[in-house]
Every structure is written in C-alpha cells, then in structure tokens.
Amino acid sequence: MIHLACTLGNLGYWDYYSTLMKVKDIVSNQRIITVAESEELYTNNINKVLQREISENRIKALSEYILGTDERFFSSLVVAIHKGSPKWTEIDISNTFDIEGKTLDEKSIDFLSSKFGVLSLSGNEQIFALDGQHRLKGLRKAFKDDNTIGELEIPVTFVIHNQKRLEKTRRLFTVLNKYAEKPKGAELIILDEDDAAAIITRRLVTEHPILSLDNAISSSKTGAIPKNDYKSFTTLVTINKINKILFKKTKSFYTKRPSDNELDELYKVSSGFWNSVFKTFPNIEKYINGGNDVKIDNKLISRKSSSGGSLLLRPIGQELISIAYSKFDDSEIANFEKKLVKIDFNLSNDYWKYVFWNDKMLGKELRLKKGIILKLMGKPIKGYNIDNEMKRIYKLYNKIYNFSIKEV
C-alpha cells in the first residue's frame, strides 16, 4: 500500500489526481505499464504495432539523461487507473486555517478541502501510461542500471478509466499523443540545455560579431529561408546542423550537457568556421547589414535572382562549405580560405546548374553536391567519379556535359 498526496481536479469528462511518486514505486513490479503492455485498451495486434512505435534509442537516451544529469526534470506522466481498489481520502482544512496571518473565508476553505487529499493504492490496480511511455521505459532502464535513483520523485497525473467506456480512454490517449506537439526545429534549439550543438548555436547568434547582427538569422522554424525573406543570411537550424558537422560527435554526445570548458572549446571550433567564411567573403557582412548591390568577385549576391543568386546565401551551400572545412586540419585553414575564394558560387555556374538549380532550388543528389564542393576544394570523395555523375544529371535534362570539375 502506498499513500500519495494529491490535488483533485476536473476537466470536462475527466476527474484527475495530480501527485508525485518515487521512481521505485513507479517501476517496481511494473506498477505502471505502457499501453502496449495492457490487455485492456487495445487488442493484441494493435498492441504489437504500438510496441514497435516505442524507440529503443529514445529509451536509452532518456535513461542516460536521468543517470547523468544533475538538473534532470520530467514533465508529468499521465496514467489511467483501473481494477483494484484505489481510495481517495479528503483532507479536512480547519476553519482556523490561515495564510500569511489572514483567516480564509468559508467558501475558500470548502474549495480547498474538496481539492486536497490522499490517493491510496493497494498494489492490485492496473495502471497504464497514456502519455510518457518512453519516459516510463527510460525510468525502468535507469533504475535497473542504478537503483539509487529510486527515491527521486516524478510528477504523475491519474485519470480514472471506466472499463465500460473504452472509447473515452482511447480518445484521451490519441489526444495526448497526437495533439500534444513536442518542440522541434528552431524551437527545440532555443529550449535545449543539454544538446551542445543547440547551446553553441544560441551562443553564436548572441555573441558572434556577425551572426548576432539583426538580419543574420531568419525567423524560420526550419532549415529553409522563406521565399519572401531577401535579407536574412542563415537560420538557427542551419547553424545547428553545421555545429554537428564540425563537432564530429556521436548522437549520444548531445544528450548530456558538457562542462563549461568543453562548451568553450566547441564554441572556438564553430566560431572558427564562421570567422573563416566571413574573412574569405567580407562583403557578406555588408549584405547582412542591408547593403545594396553587394558583390562578390564582381557579381551581385542575392537569393531573389532569376538565376538563383549565390549559393553562399543558401543554407545548403553553407552546410556544404562546413563539410569541406571539416576536412582541413587547423594548419590548413589558410589553404581552405585560399581555395574557397576561387569558387564561383553563383547558381547559374555550370557545375551548380541542374544539381542545385533549375529555375528553382533542387533538393536531391546530396552526395553529388558534397562531391562537387569537395572536388573543387581538393578533398575528393575516394572512388566517386564526379564527371560520370554529372553526365547522368545533364542527360536527365537533355543536355550534354562537356567540361570537367577540377580542383580550383
């Protein structure tokens, strides 16, 4: 038997109890199970599909977060309770109850008395998670690896499941998982305090002398700059992608916040790349500052040109430059800059046309795009014949490829 301090609430059809439980009480003897582990809500064949939706990688990442992060925090698990004999006991608030020296009025006391209580669970209930199934499995794995986390307290919201009204609980499960949208894209980059790439992205757009300029960053929530945005240089998502290219870390690295010293070193890596780009093409800063008729190598740079403008102003172009940069050692950066400045990034150039641009930006052929920039920079992909690939692309457009891409 466990007794949980609760508040009782109502939202339309549902009465619910908000409380907290120790990790050991959640996971021991599988007191709380996933929907797929329950025989109550769906049939076995649907449960098999639901089980496949649970990602082992996400469970592992959550477990590592719980065990490896002192500032860990979880949003509330939403669980349905049925069977057994859960008992709700109200806590009577005395008429002499006061707050900050003031006695509460009778109406307030009645309201509070109806909301505070104890939910007692005997252990013979079946409880399944409607929202937070990955968190639940992450807690199980973390507790198995280190049972000292058993005393940690996790917020839990209980709803009472009526066995005769399955469709109501199914609908709640759907609403919680379909409409409770998780942060993603630029929003996640802004919020994430563990992902080193996101942390450095925010630092760059706050501290870097050029990336912190007003027009440097688009308001886009994705990696693409909107078609009607002719002023912005890049996006948060693009900078974040570039960070991950430059840092060369595994996925698990981004689940736990590095030390401040490590973050400082990563910032040096990322800012070093951008400093190199802006040093090679100083007129980009003029573009960001709203300059008119800004030119690079005597050619106007823009994104609204009928010819596509400059690849330097396209997120994909910036990502590819970072890939090339990552192939050069620290001692070779001067050589990187020397080669980079020789490349014509106008999208009407023969070696970008039909690969990146044909009256609009083209999204496929990522390996070929990488291959072109690396070949131009003298770091070709081994065993990859660029000219054969270019012949194939040109043939798709009924064109003849009659030149060769060479190192600049």
Side-chain angles (χ1 to χ4, degrees), residues 199-257:
I199 295 168
I200 300 303
T201 296
R202 295 196 300 272
R203 185 171 171 185
L204 284 166
V205 301
T206 303
E207 298 180 11
H208 192 275
I210 297 178
L211 291 176
S212 62
L213 295 172
D214 287 345
N215 289 334
I217 308 300
S218 169
S219 61
S220 170
K221 295 180 180 180
T222 68
I225 297 175
K227 291 182 179 179
N228 61 352
D229 181 350
Y230 302 126
K231 296 181 179 180
S232 301
F233 170 63
T234 191
T235 70
L236 282 177
V237 172
T238 301
I239 295 175
N240 194 65
K241 285 183 180 179
I242 288 173
N243 283 342
K244 291 186 175 181
I245 291 168
L246 299 174
F247 298 163
K248 303 176 183 178
K249 303 290 186 180
T250 62
K251 285 184 179 180
S252 62
F253 175 78
Y254 299 102
T255 63
K256 181 180 178 182
R257 186 186 180 98

Side-chain angles (χ1 to χ4, degrees), residues 132-401:
Q133 299 189 88
H134 283 96
R135 278 168 277 157
L136 173 60
K137 286 208 159 189
L139 287 170
R140 286 182 190 172
K141 178 173 173 25
F143 183 74
K144 182 179 179 181
D145 293 342
D146 181 1
N147 61 18
T148 62
I149 69 163
E151 295 298 316
L152 295 179
E153 296 171 335
I154 304 296
V156 181
T157 299
F158 287 90
V159 296
I160 303 303
H161 163 65
N162 186 337
Q163 201 169 4
K164 296 179 180 179
R165 302 300 299 272
L166 285 176
E167 78 285 355
K168 294 286 188 182
T169 308
R170 287 177 185 152
R171 186 174 293 116
L172 181 58
F173 174 68
T174 300
V175 167
L176 290 170
N177 288 277
K178 180 178 179 181
Y179 297 109
E181 194 170 337
K182 305 297 188 295
K184 57 185 178 181
E187 184 181 6
L188 186 57
I189 293 166
I190 291 169
L191 296 174
D192 202 316
E193 289 293 346
D194 295 308
D195 185 330
I199 295 168
I200 300 303
T201 296
R202 295 196 300 272
R203 185 171 171 185
L204 284 166
V205 301
T206 303
E207 298 180 11
H208 192 275
I210 297 178
L211 291 176
S212 62
L213 295 172
D214 287 345
N215 289 334
I217 308 300
S218 169
S219 61
S220 170
K221 295 180 180 180
T222 68
I225 297 175
K227 291 182 179 179
N228 61 352
D229 181 350
Y230 302 126
K231 296 181 179 180
S232 301
F233 170 63
T234 191
T235 70
L236 282 177
V237 172
T238 301
I239 295 175
N240 194 65
K241 285 183 180 179
I242 288 173
N243 283 342
K244 291 186 175 181
I245 291 168
L246 299 174
F247 298 163
K248 303 176 183 178
K249 303 290 186 180
T250 62
K251 285 184 179 180
S252 62
F253 175 78
Y254 299 102
T255 63
K256 181 180 178 182
R257 186 186 180 98
S259 68
D260 288 345
N261 287 339
E262 288 177 290
L263 288 172
D264 286 342
E265 290 303 311
L266 292 174
Y267 180 78
K268 289 178 183 178
V269 172
S270 191
S271 60
F273 163 72
W274 289 108
N275 290 341
S276 192
V277 170
F278 295 132
K279 177 184 175 183
T280 305
F281 302 109
N283 279 358
I284 291 178
E285 183 177 357
K286 294 181 181 178
Y287 174 86
I288 293 172
N289 281 322
N292 295 320
D293 300 329
V294 178
K295 295 181 179 181
I296 291 179
D297 197 19
N298 294 319
K299 294 181 180 178
L300 289 172
I301 60 169
S302 69
R303 271 193 309 273
K304 59 183 178 179
S305 169
S306 59
S307 64
S310 175
L311 191 55
L312 292 170
L313 303 184
R314 303 280 182 174
I316 181 61
Q318 296 159 12
E319 289 177 39
L320 292 175
I321 291 171
S322 73
I323 290 172
Y325 179 90
S326 70
K327 305 296 182 183
F328 286 76
D329 296 333
D330 290 345
S331 61
E332 299 179 293
I333 298 306
N335 189 37
F336 165 83
E337 294 167 356
K338 182 179 178 181
K339 288 182 176 295
L340 190 66
V341 77
K342 294 179 180 179
I343 297 175
D344 181 356
F345 282 99
N346 194 297
L347 283 166
S348 62
N349 186 296
D350 284 342
Y351 45 73
W352 305 134
K353 195 162 50 176
Y354 307 130
V355 179
F356 283 90
W357 178 260
N358 187 37
D359 295 328
K360 64 178 181 179
M361 288 298 291
L362 303 173
K364 298 181 180 180
E365 303 291 347
L366 183 58
R367 191 174 189 216
L368 177 55
K369 291 172 180 177
K370 290 180 182 178
I372 293 172
I373 189 75
L374 292 174
K375 181 69 179 287
L376 290 168
M377 296 293 288
K379 302 284 184 178
I381 300 173
K382 292 181 180 179
Y384 189 65
N385 193 312
I386 289 292
D387 289 330
N388 284 347
E389 292 298 308
M390 290 296 286
K391 287 176 183 177
R392 174 180 62 82
I393 292 295
Y394 267 62
K395 188 176 181 180
L396 291 175
Y397 292 92
N398 295 315
K399 303 292 182 181
I400 296 174
Y401 176 72

Side-chain angles (χ1 to χ4, degrees), residues 39-56:
E39 296 178 355
E40 175 71 12
L41 203 58
Y42 292 104
T43 58
N44 285 337
N45 57 349
I46 292 180
N47 282 341
K48 288 178 183 178
V49 176
L50 289 172
Q51 188 64 42
R52 285 199 296 271
E53 291 297 312
I54 295 178
S55 166
E56 293 299 325

